[in-house]
Amino acid sequence: MSIRTRKGLHSGHQGQAISVENIVKKYGDFEAVKGVTFDVKDGEIFGLLGPNGAGKSTLIRMMTTLIPITSGKAFIDGYDVSENPDAARRVIGVIPQAMTSDIDLTITENMSIYAKLYGVPRAERERNIDELLEAVDLTKWRDAQVKTLSGGMRRRAEIARGLVHNPRIFFLDEPTTGLDPVSRVAVWEMLNKLKSHRQLTILITTHYMDEADRLCDRIAIVDHGQLVALDTPMALKTSVPGNNVVEVQFLKAPSGWAERLHDLSGVQSVQDEGSSMFRLLTSTGSQTTTALVELSVRAGVEIKTLTVQNTSLDDVFVHYTGRQLRDEQVKAFGFVMPPRPGMRS
Amino acid sequence: MNRMLAIIEREMRKFFRSPTLMITAMIFPLVQLIILGNAFGGKIRDARVAIVDEDHGNQAVRIREAFSSVESNVRTFVAVDYSDEVRAREDVRQGRLEGALIIPPQFSRRFYEGENPRLGMVVDNSDQFMANSLQTKMQELVNSLNSPAATAKRIPSDVALEIVELYPYIEYLKYLLPGSISLAMFVSVMIGGGMLYIDDKARGVHEGYLVTPITSMEMVLGLNLAGALKAIMAGCALTILGSLIAGLGSSFQPAHVLQWFLLICATSFAFNGLMFLLMVRVEDPLVPRAMFGILNTLLYFPSGAIYPVQAFPKWLRVISYVDPFSYAVHGLKATLLKEASWVAVSQDLLYLTVFGLVSLVISVPLFKRTL
Ligand SMILES: Nc1ncnc2c1ncn2[C@@H]1O[C@H](COP(=O)(O)OP(=O)(O)O)[C@@H](O)[C@H]1O
Ligand SMILES: [Mg+2]
């Protein structure tokens, strides 16, 4: 790897791969990103978690020089992306949300063309392509046209392509959206492996809670263009009151039932989910459950289903936004192409 | 520079991987060449013309004889016997007949007494071409009746005409060829340069390019050169195919090959420049599709490809004056049909090159380096 001269380096950003300061994006009167600030440390996997339309893609596009920043600043490896976009472009690899590989070309051809766009010398180019294909387990398919590959293989091919010029910082916009669970896990493993072998800093966006939880060192929860929480998955989970979630559905809950559930031992909050379904956050799952069953027997209210879980990032999301991420996903069913300037869907 | 080549490489690999673009670019102009080349410029044949004989004299018999001579030779019309003038008129009006010849009562008597004998002709003048052809043929026929000596000559000259018509439409087909070649380049640019460009943009392929350190200049040049290369290939393929179809052997002489090749290069460059300029700010994939028909009509028809510019009204000539299509057609006509000198095509070459350059110079600052 070449030695990077870091002229025009912003002071106070050493050790920060990415630094975003009060960044804003407006489309006309609509504010898609409303003043977001965060740092990503060298070598970290950083997750931007939020429902569709939260502003994740818009954030990534500003950081990767794809759209102009309305106000605020973004630094990549110390370079101001507005003032020195080319320097920033050289240190980053980007996998946009939409498939950008050419489906008529083979995996190797796609990679080779990108290597040329980044000016990677021939010898290094060939070595890199071989290594990366091995790393994403696609050596066997190197000469297959991208259109003949499955969704999971395409994503892995894209990941290999995004790394063909040895970037230090890797941006992935929803790399697992639309993939089946097995392919998703394969992508996570691949990213973990690549990160440790190549000293990568990774910024990834997702609307899957389990993915953010399993993969990321730190998570920023984004909602309506704002950052609502930022910490490690563990810290985020413990920041939510209660350690357990009791989900219970009754055959028919009488009126005022939620208040009575709230009085049970250990219960910190009760959410009425409709159709006699309730979500209880509690500090002691077992005690609450016992009390709940006793109460139901006494009141003659029949329990249909009952589950007890540890708090997950789902609960974190509910806690910080007052909404369930799952509902948001149902609304935004399927794969949604990110809107482009000038094109309204 | 290398980045520009990478863009071209990608486009070329795609182009050669799937022959669809090439075939599409060729089929439209070829179909047009063959259909229009044969449909127009031909002569009327087998038009049904009624003969209403109200005279029954020997002059009427002469007319019938002349008629059947036409019928068996150039076959402009076939005679259908009618006894009633009113019915004949009605059938022309209904389209059951293309015309009717009325030989009025007393025609033979008037002929011998020099009393200004007159024949009546009913034509459907809503079809100009048909009416004109029938009138011309009928006038010829009457003239030959007026000069008895010429009647004898008619038969050999009609036979000679028959031989010429073994290759009946070749001249118009040749006339159309330069337009078809230009059209092949235009279709290639429209699809390969316009539609694919917008589709790539909409699909996000450009989003991938824009995160690399490529400059606007490299990207614009790369896309333009790639588009021009595809059009050059379409143009050359159609020149070769079209010359074979039209029997233009001179197209394959080395000096001519160089001339038409350069014209094709300049034309492709100009067309692609124009297309890129029109598309540089377009985002919606429907736009190039909607523009296809309009541009085709606006640029192809006024170019003189299918009808001489000299026959246009003034305002239409203005379009043809700036239209790069006109210069392409003019240059290719000079080279392919007239085997003209370099001087004859130099103006066309110059205009097309300058047109391409100017479009490029305007497109670069208009090109957005961001999404
Ligand atoms: N080019 C654009 N023009 C207008 N609005 C846009 C544009 N791009 C994105 N938006 C809006 O900004 C918001 C955030 O979009 P996006 O960043 O794509 O969300 P996410 O990636 O989190 O799903 C959405 O409401 C979207 O409609
Ligand atoms: Mg998005």
Side-chain angles (χ1 to χ4, degrees):
Chain A
M1 271 234 275
S2 61
I3 297 162
R4 256 180 283 271
T5 52
R6 304 228 268 167
K7 266 193 203 141
L9 199 71
H10 191 267
S11 56
H13 288 291
Q14 271 88 353
Q16 307 297 0
I18 304 168
S19 183
V20 171
E21 292 170 7
N22 202 17
I23 200 170
V24 174
K25 180 68 196 181
K26 279 191 187 168
Y27 290 112
D29 286 338
F30 177 68
E31 239 181 340
V33 174
K34 305 170 179 158
V36 169
T37 303
F38 63 84
D39 289 329
V40 178
K41 289 181 221 134
D42 268 332
E44 193 171 35
I45 299 189
F46 188 89
L48 283 175
L49 177 68
N52 273 313
K56 304 182 297 294
S57 295
T58 308
L59 265 168
I60 282 211
R61 284 172 170 176
M62 286 193 281
M63 291 185 266
T64 56
T65 78
L66 275 173
I67 52 176
I69 297 170
T70 307
S71 74
K73 293 226 170 266
F75 298 92
I76 299 293
D77 203 20
Y79 299 109
D80 185 327
V81 296
S82 304
E83 276 160 28
N84 203 348
D86 265 343
R89 285 177 190 133
R90 272 173 232 279
V91 292
I92 61 173
V94 186
I95 304 299
Q97 186 170 351
M99 258 272 301
T100 54
S101 283
D102 195 317
I103 56 169
D104 291 321
L105 301 188
T106 67
I107 298 182
T108 334
E109 283 169 338
N110 268 299
M111 291 178 78
S112 157
I113 282 166
Y114 269 84
K116 287 172 191 168
L117 288 174
Y118 279 106
V120 181
R122 177 195 288 269
E124 191 181 334
R125 192 160 74 216
E126 283 165 11
R127 199 180 56 236
N128 264 352
I129 291 176
D130 290 346
E131 272 177 28
L132 282 164
L133 285 177
E134 200 60 49
V136 298
D137 213 5
L138 284 175
T139 308
K140 222 172 72 190
W141 302 90
R142 55 182 301 147
D143 293 321
Q145 276 175 280
V146 173
K147 66 176 164 206
T148 64
L149 304 179
S150 72
M153 287 156 90
R154 286 184 192 195
R155 273 296 165 188
R156 270 145 55 202
E158 294 247 294
I159 288 171
R161 198 207 69 204
L163 293 173
V164 77
H165 57 293
N166 287 323
R168 287 199 340 98
I169 304 166
F170 198 25
F171 290 87
L172 298 104
D173 196 356
E174 306 212 8
T176 59
T177 299
L179 297 190
D180 60 275
V182 179
S183 305
R184 281 175 58 203
V185 174
V187 168
W188 301 345
E189 283 170 1
M190 222 134 263
L191 285 176
N192 262 321
K193 198 166 76 182
L194 286 166
K195 182 204 137 181
S196 48
H197 285 185
R198 295 182 164 253
Q199 285 94 45
L200 279 174
T201 304
I202 295 179
L203 187 145
I204 184 171
T205 77
T206 181
H207 60 243
Y208 295 121
M209 292 294 169
D210 53 338
E211 176 165 300
D213 201 355
R214 285 266 305 263
L215 193 61
C216 300
D217 300 317
R218 283 194 309 148
I219 295 169
I221 297 180
V222 191
D223 191 35
H224 293 308
Q226 275 167 321
L227 204 139
V228 293
L230 194 167
D231 217 321
T232 62
M234 204 52 183
L236 283 174
K237 279 185 273 188
T238 48
S239 73
V240 176
N243 305 325
N244 296 106
V245 182
V246 178
E247 253 183 348
V248 57
Q249 186 170 23
F250 301 94
L251 209 57
K252 192 176 180 312
S255 63
W257 194 239
E259 285 72 43
R260 296 185 66 181
L261 293 178
H262 201 279
D263 293 337
L264 293 174
S265 105
V267 172
Q268 279 150 339
S269 78
V270 176
Q271 243 187 311
D272 187 345
E273 311 240 283
S275 31
S276 297
M277 175 98 131
F278 296 88
R279 255 171 93 83
L280 288 67
L281 282 180
T282 162
S283 48
T284 50
S286 51
Q287 277 180 30
T288 305
T289 314
T290 316
L292 175 75
V293 172
E294 279 171 6
L295 172 71
S296 306
V297 171
R298 257 186 286 124
V301 180
E302 199 177 326
I303 296 175
K304 227 170 129 187
T305 59
L306 175 77
T307 58
V308 185
Q309 289 164 349
N310 290 332
T311 34
S312 69
L313 280 179
D314 282 291
D315 310 305
V316 176
F317 189 82
V318 174
H319 178 74
Y320 283 106
T321 66
R323 286 174 296 122
Q324 279 221 262
L325 189 57
R326 267 180 282 165
D327 301 340
E328 300 295 315
Q329 278 164 24
V330 172
K331 263 188 253 159
F333 184 71
F335 177 73
V336 182
M337 271 281 280
R340 264 157 241 287
M343 255 184 100
R344 277 158 207 278
S345 42
Chain B
M1 183 65 189
N2 282 332
R3 299 203 187 96
M4 185 190 84
L5 291 179
I7 299 275
I8 297 177
E9 181 189 335
R10 180 245 172 187
E11 299 277 328
M12 287 300 117
R13 281 185 188 276
K14 237 175 120 68
F15 180 74
F16 285 112
R17 186 119 325 149
S18 126
T20 322
L21 171 61
M22 191 69 175
I23 291 169
T24 323
M26 306 279 303
I27 282 182
F28 179 34
L30 270 180
V31 167
Q32 211 182 65
L33 178 69
I34 290 164
I35 301 294
L36 284 190
N38 284 286
F40 297 156
K43 293 193 175 63
I44 296 287
R45 280 189 177 221
D46 299 336
R48 283 150 306 158
V49 176
I51 297 185
V52 188
D53 186 356
E54 296 173 335
D55 174 47
H56 306 292
N58 55 2
Q59 280 306 313
V61 175
R62 272 190 71 206
I63 291 170
R64 284 173 155 284
E65 275 169 3
F67 229 93
S68 41
S69 140
V70 171
E71 203 176 314
S72 60
N73 289 304
V74 286
R75 288 171 48 198
T76 308
F77 28 65
V78 277
V80 188
D81 271 318
Y82 268 66
S83 51
D84 181 356
E85 183 184 332
V86 180
R87 251 195 62 214
R89 273 176 199 278
E90 190 51 33
D91 282 358
V92 172
R93 189 169 291 123
Q94 301 289 335
R96 281 191 284 270
L97 290 170
E98 269 76 46
L101 180 75
I102 320 288
I103 309 171
Q106 309 295 322
F107 176 75
S108 296
R109 191 188 56 77
R110 280 164 173 265
F111 182 84
Y112 290 120
E113 294 174 4
E115 251 184 53
N116 194 13
R118 285 187 163 277
L119 289 170
M121 180 82 203
V122 182
V123 291
D124 174 5
N125 64 348
S126 66
D127 183 343
Q128 280 289 332
F129 189 70
M130 175 65 79
N132 286 343
S133 304
L134 285 184
Q135 252 164 302
T136 312
K137 202 74 208 160
M138 210 56 76
Q139 193 62 52
E140 269 175 36
L141 207 135
V142 169
N143 290 347
S144 73
L145 282 174
N146 288 339
S147 51
T151 320
K153 269 196 204 152
R154 277 206 68 79
I155 292 164
S157 71
D158 281 345
V159 172
L161 214 69
E162 192 74 272
I163 293 163
V164 171
E165 293 206 345
L166 275 179
Y167 309 99
Y169 312 123
I170 199 73
E171 287 309 324
Y172 193 65
L173 211 145
K174 279 183 187 164
Y175 181 83
L176 272 184
L177 181 60
S180 301
I181 297 168
S182 311
L183 195 59
M185 291 185 266
F186 185 71
V187 175
S188 162
V189 157
M190 196 69 229
I191 300 173
M195 290 184 198
L196 288 186
Y197 170 67
I198 305 296
D199 286 358
D200 276 354
K201 236 198 230 189
R203 240 190 289 151
V205 174
H206 287 194
E207 191 166 344
Y209 290 161
L210 293 176
V211 293
T212 74
I214 193 167
T215 63
S216 307
M217 184 69 140
E218 286 167 326
M219 205 159 154
V220 171
L221 274 183
L223 290 168
N224 266 284
L225 289 179
L229 273 177
K230 293 182 212 174
I232 290 172
M233 285 184 266
C236 290
L238 209 97
T239 307
I240 292 165
L241 264 177
S243 297
L244 290 175
I245 293 174
L248 275 173
S250 59
S251 303
F252 301 102
Q253 289 161 14
H256 281 113
V257 171
L258 183 66
Q259 212 172 45
W260 61 248
F261 181 70
L262 284 181
L263 275 163
I264 283 176
C265 292
T267 307
S268 300
F269 181 60
F271 281 2
N272 203 81
L274 174 67
M275 191 58 52
F276 195 81
L277 185 58
L278 292 174
M279 296 297 156
V280 69
R281 284 297 179 101
V282 172
E283 307 281 346
D284 192 330
L286 268 180
V287 174
R289 285 161 176 79
M291 277 170 73
F292 196 177
I294 301 170
L295 278 180
N296 188 29
T297 309
L298 195 65
L299 300 178
Y300 178 56
F301 291 100
S303 71
I306 52 175
Y307 212 71
V309 178
Q310 288 71 19
F312 293 166
K314 258 217 180 75
W315 63 270
L316 199 54
R317 284 198 203 196
V318 174
I319 296 181
S320 90
Y321 191 71
V322 288
D323 180 4
F325 239 115
S326 313
Y327 296 85
V329 168
H330 180 266
L332 287 170
K333 269 195 179 141
T335 304
L336 297 176
L337 306 185
K338 304 177 199 160
E339 307 185 14
S341 67
W342 282 99
V343 183
V345 298
S346 59
Q347 281 218 333
D348 302 315
L349 277 173
L350 185 72
Y351 182 84
L352 291 166
T353 312
V354 170
F355 189 96
L357 280 176
V358 170
S359 317
L360 253 189
V361 167
I362 304 173
S363 321
V364 174
L366 283 178
F367 181 79
K368 271 180 27 199
R369 180 62 181 78
T370 52
L371 277 185

